PDB file of all heavy atoms in Angstrom:
ATOM      1  N   LEU N 111     -78.192 -53.494 -99.849  1.00 98.00           N
ATOM      2  CA  LEU N 111     -79.534 -53.088-100.286  1.00 98.00           C
ATOM      3  C   LEU N 111     -80.125 -54.137-101.216  1.00 98.00           C
ATOM      4  O   LEU N 111     -79.731 -54.259-102.379  1.00 98.00           O
ATOM      5  CB  LEU N 111     -79.464 -51.713-100.979  1.00 98.00           C
ATOM      6  CG  LEU N 111     -80.756 -51.161-101.599  1.00 98.00           C
ATOM      7  CD1 LEU N 111     -81.908 -51.166-100.610  1.00 98.00           C
ATOM      8  CD2 LEU N 111     -80.534 -49.749-102.138  1.00 98.00           C
ATOM      9  N   GLY N 112     -81.063 -54.927-100.674  1.00 97.00           N
ATOM     10  CA  GLY N 112     -81.714 -55.992-101.441  1.00 97.00           C
ATOM     11  C   GLY N 112     -83.145 -55.617-101.799  1.00 97.00           C
ATOM     12  O   GLY N 112     -83.815 -54.886-101.056  1.00 97.00           O
ATOM     13  N   VAL N 113     -83.624 -56.119-102.938  1.00 98.00           N
ATOM     14  CA  VAL N 113     -84.958 -55.756-103.447  1.00 98.00           C
ATOM     15  C   VAL N 113     -85.720 -57.017-103.851  1.00 98.00           C
ATOM     16  O   VAL N 113     -85.144 -57.952-104.396  1.00 98.00           O
ATOM     17  CB  VAL N 113     -84.828 -54.816-104.684  1.00 98.00           C
ATOM     18  CG1 VAL N 113     -86.196 -54.426-105.224  1.00 98.00           C
ATOM     19  CG2 VAL N 113     -84.015 -53.572-104.341  1.00 98.00           C
ATOM     20  N   MET N 114     -87.051 -57.006-103.582  1.00 97.00           N
ATOM     21  CA  MET N 114     -87.915 -58.082-104.074  1.00 97.00           C
ATOM     22  C   MET N 114     -89.185 -57.457-104.649  1.00 97.00           C
ATOM     23  O   MET N 114     -89.765 -56.543-104.048  1.00 97.00           O
ATOM     24  CB  MET N 114     -88.273 -59.045-102.940  1.00 97.00           C
ATOM     25  CG  MET N 114     -89.138 -60.198-103.373  1.00 97.00           C
ATOM     26  SD  MET N 114     -88.499 -61.155-104.767  1.00 97.00           S
ATOM     27  CE  MET N 114     -87.145 -62.013-103.995  1.00 97.00           C
ATOM     28  N   SER N 115     -89.594 -57.948-105.825  1.00 96.00           N
ATOM     29  CA  SER N 115     -90.773 -57.404-106.503  1.00 96.00           C
ATOM     30  C   SER N 115     -91.366 -58.470-107.418  1.00 96.00           C
ATOM     31  O   SER N 115     -90.639 -59.328-107.930  1.00 96.00           O
ATOM     32  CB  SER N 115     -90.369 -56.184-107.338  1.00 96.00           C
ATOM     33  OG  SER N 115     -91.408 -55.808-108.218  1.00 96.00           O
ATOM     34  N   VAL N 116     -92.681 -58.390-107.652  1.00 94.00           N
ATOM     35  CA  VAL N 116     -93.308 -59.298-108.615  1.00 94.00           C
ATOM     36  C   VAL N 116     -92.740 -59.039-110.010  1.00 94.00           C
ATOM     37  O   VAL N 116     -92.761 -59.921-110.878  1.00 94.00           O
ATOM     38  CB  VAL N 116     -94.853 -59.151-108.596  1.00 94.00           C
ATOM     39  CG1 VAL N 116     -95.297 -57.828-109.206  1.00 94.00           C
ATOM     40  CG2 VAL N 116     -95.535 -60.296-109.320  1.00 94.00           C
ATOM     41  N   GLY N 117     -92.183 -57.829-110.222  1.00 94.00           N
ATOM     42  CA  GLY N 117     -91.582 -57.498-111.521  1.00 94.00           C
ATOM     43  C   GLY N 117     -90.479 -58.457-111.915  1.00 94.00           C
ATOM     44  O   GLY N 117     -90.233 -58.686-113.107  1.00 94.00           O
ATOM     45  N   PHE N 118     -89.803 -59.066-110.922  1.00 94.00           N
ATOM     46  CA  PHE N 118     -88.725 -60.026-111.210  1.00 94.00           C
ATOM     47  C   PHE N 118     -89.267 -61.382-111.649  1.00 94.00           C
ATOM     48  O   PHE N 118     -88.526 -62.235-112.113  1.00 94.00           O
ATOM     49  CB  PHE N 118     -87.836 -60.236-109.975  1.00 94.00           C
ATOM     50  CG  PHE N 118     -87.160 -58.988-109.476  1.00 94.00           C
ATOM     51  CD1 PHE N 118     -87.039 -58.739-108.118  1.00 94.00           C
ATOM     52  CD2 PHE N 118     -86.645 -58.051-110.365  1.00 94.00           C
ATOM     53  CE1 PHE N 118     -86.417 -57.591-107.649  1.00 94.00           C
ATOM     54  CE2 PHE N 118     -86.017 -56.899-109.918  1.00 94.00           C
ATOM     55  CZ  PHE N 118     -85.907 -56.673-108.554  1.00 94.00           C
ATOM     56  N   LEU N 119     -90.590 -61.585-111.467  1.00 91.00           N
ATOM     57  CA  LEU N 119     -91.193 -62.883-111.806  1.00 91.00           C
ATOM     58  C   LEU N 119     -91.883 -62.855-113.165  1.00 91.00           C
ATOM     59  O   LEU N 119     -92.391 -63.866-113.623  1.00 91.00           O
ATOM     60  CB  LEU N 119     -92.218 -63.286-110.724  1.00 91.00           C
ATOM     61  CG  LEU N 119     -91.712 -63.275-109.270  1.00 91.00           C
ATOM     62  CD1 LEU N 119     -92.854 -63.577-108.309  1.00 91.00           C
ATOM     63  CD2 LEU N 119     -90.589 -64.286-109.076  1.00 91.00           C
ATOM     64  N   LEU N 120     -91.899 -61.675-113.808  1.00 89.00           N
ATOM     65  CA  LEU N 120     -92.582 -61.551-115.099  1.00 89.00           C
ATOM     66  C   LEU N 120     -91.593 -61.755-116.241  1.00 89.00           C
ATOM     67  O   LEU N 120     -90.430 -61.381-116.133  1.00 89.00           O
ATOM     68  CB  LEU N 120     -93.221 -60.159-115.236  1.00 89.00           C
ATOM     69  CG  LEU N 120     -94.191 -59.735-114.127  1.00 89.00           C
ATOM     70  CD1 LEU N 120     -94.662 -58.295-114.349  1.00 89.00           C
ATOM     71  CD2 LEU N 120     -95.391 -60.673-114.079  1.00 89.00           C
ATOM     72  N   SER N 121     -92.075 -62.330-117.342  1.00 84.00           N
ATOM     73  CA  SER N 121     -91.175 -62.580-118.475  1.00 84.00           C
ATOM     74  C   SER N 121     -90.864 -61.285-119.225  1.00 84.00           C
ATOM     75  O   SER N 121     -89.850 -61.173-119.903  1.00 84.00           O
ATOM     76  CB  SER N 121     -91.786 -63.614-119.433  1.00 84.00           C
ATOM     77  OG  SER N 121     -93.079 -63.200-119.815  1.00 84.00           O
ATOM     78  N   SER N 122     -91.761 -60.264-119.099  1.00 86.00           N
ATOM     79  CA  SER N 122     -91.530 -58.971-119.752  1.00 86.00           C
ATOM     80  C   SER N 122     -92.088 -57.869-118.858  1.00 86.00           C
ATOM     81  O   SER N 122     -93.119 -58.068-118.215  1.00 86.00           O
ATOM     82  CB  SER N 122     -92.239 -58.947-121.109  1.00 86.00           C
ATOM     83  OG  SER N 122     -92.554 -57.614-121.479  1.00 86.00           O
ATOM     84  N   PRO N 123     -91.442 -56.681-118.836  1.00 85.00           N
ATOM     85  CA  PRO N 123     -91.973 -55.569-118.024  1.00 85.00           C
ATOM     86  C   PRO N 123     -93.363 -55.135-118.469  1.00 85.00           C
ATOM     87  O   PRO N 123     -94.084 -54.478-117.722  1.00 85.00           O
ATOM     88  CB  PRO N 123     -90.973 -54.435-118.260  1.00 85.00           C
ATOM     89  CG  PRO N 123     -89.782 -55.033-118.896  1.00 85.00           C
ATOM     90  CD  PRO N 123     -90.210 -56.305-119.550  1.00 85.00           C
ATOM     91  N   ASP N 124     -93.761 -55.496-119.711  1.00 89.00           N
ATOM     92  CA  ASP N 124     -95.074 -55.091-120.219  1.00 89.00           C
ATOM     93  C   ASP N 124     -96.173 -56.102-119.896  1.00 89.00           C
ATOM     94  O   ASP N 124     -97.344 -55.881-120.235  1.00 89.00           O
ATOM     95  CB  ASP N 124     -95.011 -54.889-121.741  1.00 89.00           C
ATOM     96  CG  ASP N 124     -94.057 -53.765-122.123  1.00 89.00           C
ATOM     97  OD1 ASP N 124     -93.845 -52.864-121.283  1.00 89.00           O
ATOM     98  OD2 ASP N 124     -93.505 -53.801-123.240  1.00 89.00           O
ATOM     99  N   ASP N 125     -95.812 -57.227-119.270  1.00 91.00           N
ATOM    100  CA  ASP N 125     -96.816 -58.238-118.911  1.00 91.00           C
ATOM    101  C   ASP N 125     -97.796 -57.668-117.889  1.00 91.00           C
ATOM    102  O   ASP N 125     -97.381 -57.036-116.913  1.00 91.00           O
ATOM    103  CB  ASP N 125     -96.149 -59.482-118.299  1.00 91.00           C
ATOM    104  CG  ASP N 125     -95.564 -60.396-119.359  1.00 91.00           C
ATOM    105  OD1 ASP N 125     -95.709 -60.059-120.550  1.00 91.00           O
ATOM    106  OD2 ASP N 125     -94.961 -61.429-119.008  1.00 91.00           O
ATOM    107  N   ALA N 126     -99.105 -57.919-118.119  1.00 90.00           N
ATOM    108  CA  ALA N 126    -100.120 -57.478-117.147  1.00 90.00           C
ATOM    109  C   ALA N 126    -100.346 -58.590-116.129  1.00 90.00           C
ATOM    110  O   ALA N 126    -100.430 -59.769-116.489  1.00 90.00           O
ATOM    111  CB  ALA N 126    -101.423 -57.166-117.878  1.00 90.00           C
ATOM    112  N   VAL N 127    -100.430 -58.211-114.858  1.00 89.00           N
ATOM    113  CA  VAL N 127    -100.752 -59.183-113.800  1.00 89.00           C
ATOM    114  C   VAL N 127    -102.254 -59.091-113.562  1.00 89.00           C
ATOM    115  O   VAL N 127    -102.746 -58.111-113.004  1.00 89.00           O
ATOM    116  CB  VAL N 127     -99.967 -58.862-112.506  1.00 89.00           C
ATOM    117  CG1 VAL N 127    -100.326 -59.847-111.412  1.00 89.00           C
ATOM    118  CG2 VAL N 127     -98.467 -58.887-112.775  1.00 89.00           C
ATOM    119  N   ILE N 128    -102.990 -60.106-114.030  1.00 90.00           N
ATOM    120  CA  ILE N 128    -104.464 -60.071-113.955  1.00 90.00           C
ATOM    121  C   ILE N 128    -104.883 -61.122-112.917  1.00 90.00           C
ATOM    122  O   ILE N 128    -105.193 -62.263-113.250  1.00 90.00           O
ATOM    123  CB  ILE N 128    -105.088 -60.338-115.350  1.00 90.00           C
ATOM    124  CG1 ILE N 128    -104.466 -59.385-116.389  1.00 90.00           C
ATOM    125  CG2 ILE N 128    -106.596 -60.166-115.301  1.00 90.00           C
ATOM    126  CD1 ILE N 128    -104.793 -59.717-117.826  1.00 90.00           C
ATOM    127  N   TRP N 129    -104.834 -60.713-111.663  1.00 88.00           N
ATOM    128  CA  TRP N 129    -105.083 -61.638-110.548  1.00 88.00           C
ATOM    129  C   TRP N 129    -106.206 -61.126-109.663  1.00 88.00           C
ATOM    130  O   TRP N 129    -106.347 -59.931-109.457  1.00 88.00           O
ATOM    131  CB  TRP N 129    -103.830 -61.758-109.671  1.00 88.00           C
ATOM    132  CG  TRP N 129    -102.685 -62.465-110.283  1.00 88.00           C
ATOM    133  CD1 TRP N 129    -102.637 -63.071-111.502  1.00 88.00           C
ATOM    134  CD2 TRP N 129    -101.386 -62.637-109.695  1.00 88.00           C
ATOM    135  NE1 TRP N 129    -101.397 -63.599-111.720  1.00 88.00           N
ATOM    136  CE2 TRP N 129    -100.606 -63.353-110.631  1.00 88.00           C
ATOM    137  CE3 TRP N 129    -100.812 -62.254-108.499  1.00 88.00           C
ATOM    138  CZ2 TRP N 129     -99.288 -63.695-110.380  1.00 88.00           C
ATOM    139  CZ3 TRP N 129     -99.497 -62.590-108.240  1.00 88.00           C
ATOM    140  CH2 TRP N 129     -98.743 -63.311-109.171  1.00 88.00           C
ATOM    141  N   ARG N 130    -106.955 -62.080-109.090  1.00 90.00           N
ATOM    142  CA  ARG N 130    -107.923 -61.728-108.055  1.00 90.00           C
ATOM    143  C   ARG N 130    -107.203 -61.633-106.710  1.00 90.00           C
ATOM    144  O   ARG N 130    -106.066 -62.050-106.568  1.00 90.00           O
ATOM    145  CB  ARG N 130    -109.030 -62.791-107.989  1.00 90.00           C
ATOM    146  CG  ARG N 130    -109.921 -62.808-109.218  1.00 90.00           C
ATOM    147  CD  ARG N 130    -111.132 -63.700-108.989  1.00 90.00           C
ATOM    148  NE  ARG N 130    -111.919 -63.854-110.199  1.00 90.00           N
ATOM    149  CZ  ARG N 130    -112.841 -62.996-110.598  1.00 90.00           C
ATOM    150  NH1 ARG N 130    -113.095 -61.919-109.882  1.00 90.00           N
ATOM    151  NH2 ARG N 130    -113.531 -63.215-111.700  1.00 90.00           N
ATOM    152  N   GLY N 131    -107.948 -61.107-105.726  1.00 86.00           N
ATOM    153  CA  GLY N 131    -107.398 -60.867-104.396  1.00 86.00           C
ATOM    154  C   GLY N 131    -106.638 -62.032-103.767  1.00 86.00           C
ATOM    155  O   GLY N 131    -105.493 -61.861-103.338  1.00 86.00           O
ATOM    156  N   PRO N 132    -107.230 -63.234-103.701  1.00 91.00           N
ATOM    157  CA  PRO N 132    -106.553 -64.346-103.001  1.00 91.00           C
ATOM    158  C   PRO N 132    -105.164 -64.656-103.560  1.00 91.00           C
ATOM    159  O   PRO N 132    -104.248 -64.984-102.810  1.00 91.00           O
ATOM    160  CB  PRO N 132    -107.509 -65.528-103.198  1.00 91.00           C
ATOM    161  CG  PRO N 132    -108.855 -64.893-103.386  1.00 91.00           C
ATOM    162  CD  PRO N 132    -108.594 -63.608-104.120  1.00 91.00           C
ATOM    163  N   LYS N 133    -105.009 -64.527-104.893  1.00 93.00           N
ATOM    164  CA  LYS N 133    -103.701 -64.832-105.479  1.00 93.00           C
ATOM    165  C   LYS N 133    -102.678 -63.753-105.104  1.00 93.00           C
ATOM    166  O   LYS N 133    -101.513 -64.049-104.829  1.00 93.00           O
ATOM    167  CB  LYS N 133    -103.818 -64.961-106.998  1.00 93.00           C
ATOM    168  CG  LYS N 133    -102.601 -65.642-107.613  1.00 93.00           C
ATOM    169  CD  LYS N 133    -102.821 -66.082-109.034  1.00 93.00           C
ATOM    170  CE  LYS N 133    -101.560 -66.763-109.566  1.00 93.00           C
ATOM    171  NZ  LYS N 133    -101.629 -67.055-110.999  1.00 93.00           N
ATOM    172  N   LYS N 134    -103.128 -62.489-105.073  1.00 93.00           N
ATOM    173  CA  LYS N 134    -102.243 -61.396-104.642  1.00 93.00           C
ATOM    174  C   LYS N 134    -101.810 -61.624-103.193  1.00 93.00           C
ATOM    175  O   LYS N 134    -100.629 -61.498-102.858  1.00 93.00           O
ATOM    176  CB  LYS N 134    -102.973 -60.052-104.732  1.00 93.00           C
ATOM    177  CG  LYS N 134    -103.262 -59.555-106.123  1.00 93.00           C
ATOM    178  CD  LYS N 134    -103.952 -58.199-105.984  1.00 93.00           C
ATOM    179  CE  LYS N 134    -104.429 -57.656-107.306  1.00 93.00           C
ATOM    180  NZ  LYS N 134    -105.162 -56.404-107.143  1.00 93.00           N
ATOM    181  N   ASN N 135    -102.792 -61.946-102.344  1.00 92.00           N
ATOM    182  CA  ASN N 135    -102.492 -62.164-100.924  1.00 92.00           C
ATOM    183  C   ASN N 135    -101.505 -63.306-100.736  1.00 92.00           C
ATOM    184  O   ASN N 135    -100.611 -63.244 -99.892  1.00 92.00           O
ATOM    185  CB  ASN N 135    -103.774 -62.472-100.147  1.00 92.00           C
ATOM    186  CG  ASN N 135    -104.770 -61.332-100.223  1.00 92.00           C
ATOM    187  OD1 ASN N 135    -104.413 -60.222-100.610  1.00 92.00           O
ATOM    188  ND2 ASN N 135    -106.009 -61.601 -99.870  1.00 92.00           N
ATOM    189  N   GLY N 136    -101.686 -64.348-101.560  1.00 93.00           N
ATOM    190  CA  GLY N 136    -100.783 -65.514-101.487  1.00 93.00           C
ATOM    191  C   GLY N 136     -99.348 -65.131-101.821  1.00 93.00           C
ATOM    192  O   GLY N 136     -98.399 -65.594-101.175  1.00 93.00           O
ATOM    193  N   LEU N 137     -99.189 -64.234-102.821  1.00 94.00           N
ATOM    194  CA  LEU N 137     -97.836 -63.827-103.217  1.00 94.00           C
ATOM    195  C   LEU N 137     -97.199 -62.960-102.126  1.00 94.00           C
ATOM    196  O   LEU N 137     -96.005 -63.103-101.830  1.00 94.00           O
ATOM    197  CB  LEU N 137     -97.846 -63.075-104.544  1.00 94.00           C
ATOM    198  CG  LEU N 137     -96.453 -62.661-105.043  1.00 94.00           C
ATOM    199  CD1 LEU N 137     -95.602 -63.889-105.373  1.00 94.00           C
ATOM    200  CD2 LEU N 137     -96.522 -61.752-106.257  1.00 94.00           C
ATOM    201  N   ILE N 138     -97.996 -62.075-101.512  1.00 94.00           N
ATOM    202  CA  ILE N 138     -97.460 -61.229-100.436  1.00 94.00           C
ATOM    203  C   ILE N 138     -96.975 -62.106 -99.286  1.00 94.00           C
ATOM    204  O   ILE N 138     -95.884 -61.901 -98.741  1.00 94.00           O
ATOM    205  CB  ILE N 138     -98.529 -60.210 -99.965  1.00 94.00           C
ATOM    206  CG1 ILE N 138     -98.802 -59.183-101.079  1.00 94.00           C
ATOM    207  CG2 ILE N 138     -98.086 -59.496 -98.690  1.00 94.00           C
ATOM    208  CD1 ILE N 138    -100.022 -58.320-100.849  1.00 94.00           C
ATOM    209  N   LYS N 139     -97.781 -63.099 -98.950  1.00 92.00           N
ATOM    210  CA  LYS N 139     -97.389 -64.021 -97.867  1.00 92.00           C
ATOM    211  C   LYS N 139     -96.102 -64.752 -98.237  1.00 92.00           C
ATOM    212  O   LYS N 139     -95.197 -64.939 -97.422  1.00 92.00           O
ATOM    213  CB  LYS N 139     -98.513 -65.026 -97.615  1.00 92.00           C
ATOM    214  CG  LYS N 139     -98.313 -65.847 -96.340  1.00 92.00           C
ATOM    215  CD  LYS N 139     -99.282 -67.010 -96.252  1.00 92.00           C
ATOM    216  CE  LYS N 139    -100.716 -66.537 -96.187  1.00 92.00           C
ATOM    217  NZ  LYS N 139    -101.667 -67.677 -96.120  1.00 92.00           N
ATOM    218  N   GLN N 140     -96.016 -65.151 -99.509  1.00 92.00           N
ATOM    219  CA  GLN N 140     -94.822 -65.868 -99.988  1.00 92.00           C
ATOM    220  C   GLN N 140     -93.578 -64.977 -99.905  1.00 92.00           C
ATOM    221  O   GLN N 140     -92.502 -65.428 -99.521  1.00 92.00           O
ATOM    222  CB  GLN N 140     -95.064 -66.322-101.431  1.00 92.00           C
ATOM    223  CG  GLN N 140     -94.215 -67.521-101.825  1.00 92.00           C
ATOM    224  CD  GLN N 140     -94.612 -68.065-103.191  1.00 92.00           C
ATOM    225  OE1 GLN N 140     -95.618 -67.666-103.773  1.00 92.00           O
ATOM    226  NE2 GLN N 140     -93.816 -68.975-103.707  1.00 92.00           N
ATOM    227  N   PHE N 141     -93.737 -63.692-100.269  1.00 93.00           N
ATOM    228  CA  PHE N 141     -92.616 -62.746-100.174  1.00 93.00           C
ATOM    229  C   PHE N 141     -92.107 -62.653 -98.731  1.00 93.00           C
ATOM    230  O   PHE N 141     -90.913 -62.587 -98.483  1.00 93.00           O
ATOM    231  CB  PHE N 141     -93.046 -61.352-100.641  1.00 93.00           C
ATOM    232  CG  PHE N 141     -93.021 -61.161-102.141  1.00 93.00           C
ATOM    233  CD1 PHE N 141     -93.781 -60.158-102.734  1.00 93.00           C
ATOM    234  CD2 PHE N 141     -92.226 -61.950-102.959  1.00 93.00           C
ATOM    235  CE1 PHE N 141     -93.753 -59.950-104.114  1.00 93.00           C
ATOM    236  CE2 PHE N 141     -92.191 -61.750-104.339  1.00 93.00           C
ATOM    237  CZ  PHE N 141     -92.961 -60.752-104.913  1.00 93.00           C
ATOM    238  N   LEU N 142     -93.039 -62.615 -97.784  1.00 92.00           N
ATOM    239  CA  LEU N 142     -92.639 -62.476 -96.376  1.00 92.00           C
ATOM    240  C   LEU N 142     -92.070 -63.776 -95.825  1.00 92.00           C
ATOM    241  O   LEU N 142     -91.152 -63.775 -95.021  1.00 92.00           O
ATOM    242  CB  LEU N 142     -93.837 -62.031 -95.527  1.00 92.00           C
ATOM    243  CG  LEU N 142     -94.369 -60.631 -95.819  1.00 92.00           C
ATOM    244  CD1 LEU N 142     -95.641 -60.371 -95.027  1.00 92.00           C
ATOM    245  CD2 LEU N 142     -93.326 -59.561 -95.504  1.00 92.00           C
ATOM    246  N   ARG N 143     -92.616 -64.908 -96.286  1.00 90.00           N
ATOM    247  CA  ARG N 143     -92.250 -66.205 -95.709  1.00 90.00           C
ATOM    248  C   ARG N 143     -91.040 -66.836 -96.389  1.00 90.00           C
ATOM    249  O   ARG N 143     -90.236 -67.514 -95.751  1.00 90.00           O
ATOM    250  CB  ARG N 143     -93.464 -67.142 -95.838  1.00 90.00           C
ATOM    251  CG  ARG N 143     -93.357 -68.450 -95.084  1.00 90.00           C
ATOM    252  CD  ARG N 143     -94.502 -69.355 -95.479  1.00 90.00           C
ATOM    253  NE  ARG N 143     -94.472 -69.630 -96.920  1.00 90.00           N
ATOM    254  CZ  ARG N 143     -95.550 -69.893 -97.662  1.00 90.00           C
ATOM    255  NH1 ARG N 143     -96.745 -69.900 -97.118  1.00 90.00           N
ATOM    256  NH2 ARG N 143     -95.437 -70.148 -98.953  1.00 90.00           N
ATOM    257  N   ASP N 144     -90.916 -66.610 -97.712  1.00 92.00           N
ATOM    258  CA  ASP N 144     -89.924 -67.379 -98.478  1.00 92.00           C
ATOM    259  C   ASP N 144     -88.686 -66.599 -98.908  1.00 92.00           C
ATOM    260  O   ASP N 144     -87.737 -67.178 -99.421  1.00 92.00           O
ATOM    261  CB  ASP N 144     -90.577 -67.972 -99.740  1.00 92.00           C
ATOM    262  CG  ASP N 144     -91.637 -69.008 -99.395  1.00 92.00           C
ATOM    263  OD1 ASP N 144     -91.690 -69.413 -98.216  1.00 92.00           O
ATOM    264  OD2 ASP N 144     -92.414 -69.394-100.281  1.00 92.00           O
ATOM    265  N   VAL N 145     -88.703 -65.262 -98.744  1.00 93.00           N
ATOM    266  CA  VAL N 145     -87.522 -64.488 -99.161  1.00 93.00           C
ATOM    267  C   VAL N 145     -86.497 -64.507 -98.027  1.00 93.00           C
ATOM    268  O   VAL N 145     -86.821 -64.211 -96.882  1.00 93.00           O
ATOM    269  CB  VAL N 145     -87.888 -63.034 -99.536  1.00 93.00           C
ATOM    270  CG1 VAL N 145     -86.632 -62.236 -99.864  1.00 93.00           C
ATOM    271  CG2 VAL N 145     -88.831 -63.021-100.733  1.00 93.00           C
ATOM    272  N   ASP N 146     -85.273 -64.854 -98.372  1.00 92.00           N
ATOM    273  CA  ASP N 146     -84.198 -64.931 -97.376  1.00 92.00           C
ATOM    274  C   ASP N 146     -83.499 -63.569 -97.289  1.00 92.00           C
ATOM    275  O   ASP N 146     -82.499 -63.329 -97.942  1.00 92.00           O
ATOM    276  CB  ASP N 146     -83.211 -66.038 -97.791  1.00 92.00           C
ATOM    277  CG  ASP N 146     -82.070 -66.171 -96.796  1.00 92.00           C
ATOM    278  OD1 ASP N 146     -82.245 -65.721 -95.645  1.00 92.00           O
ATOM    279  OD2 ASP N 146     -81.011 -66.705 -97.170  1.00 92.00           O
ATOM    280  N   TRP N 147     -84.063 -62.678 -96.450  1.00 88.00           N
ATOM    281  CA  TRP N 147     -83.502 -61.328 -96.324  1.00 88.00           C
ATOM    282  C   TRP N 147     -82.234 -61.335 -95.480  1.00 88.00           C
ATOM    283  O   TRP N 147     -81.398 -60.457 -95.609  1.00 88.00           O
ATOM    284  CB  TRP N 147     -84.503 -60.386 -95.664  1.00 88.00           C
ATOM    285  CG  TRP N 147     -85.751 -60.124 -96.434  1.00 88.00           C
ATOM    286  CD1 TRP N 147     -87.005 -60.553 -96.124  1.00 88.00           C
ATOM    287  CD2 TRP N 147     -85.891 -59.366 -97.649  1.00 88.00           C
ATOM    288  NE1 TRP N 147     -87.917 -60.102 -97.068  1.00 88.00           N
ATOM    289  CE2 TRP N 147     -87.252 -59.383 -98.006  1.00 88.00           C
ATOM    290  CE3 TRP N 147     -84.993 -58.676 -98.466  1.00 88.00           C
ATOM    291  CZ2 TRP N 147     -87.751 -58.732 -99.125  1.00 88.00           C
ATOM    292  CZ3 TRP N 147     -85.489 -58.032 -99.585  1.00 88.00           C
ATOM    293  CH2 TRP N 147     -86.840 -58.064 -99.919  1.00 88.00           C
ATOM    294  N   GLY N 148     -82.121 -62.322 -94.592  1.00 88.00           N
ATOM    295  CA  GLY N 148     -80.990 -62.323 -93.651  1.00 88.00           C
ATOM    296  C   GLY N 148     -81.214 -61.276 -92.566  1.00 88.00           C
ATOM    297  O   GLY N 148     -82.340 -60.873 -92.285  1.00 88.00           O
TER     298      GLY N 148
END
């Protein structure tokens, strides 16, 4: 059971992610393209 989340990329759980749409979309694409799920 493997997990991926933007929460792992934040320095603190209380950090706010203040992003516009294109940056969110870019991260979703990166999760699908760059995560080695096997």
Side-chain angles (χ1 to χ4, degrees):
L111 176 52
V113 180
M114 181 54 72
S115 168
V116 71
F118 300 140
L119 307 175
L120 305 176
S121 54
S122 154
D124 297 334
D125 280 359
V127 179
I128 308 169
W129 290 357
R130 292 190 187 276
K133 196 166 181 188
K134 290 182 186 176
N135 299 345
L137 182 65
I138 292 168
K139 191 191 297 179
Q140 204 172 351
F141 278 158
L142 294 174
R143 190 189 60 209
D144 294 348
V145 176
D146 180 21
W147 295 110

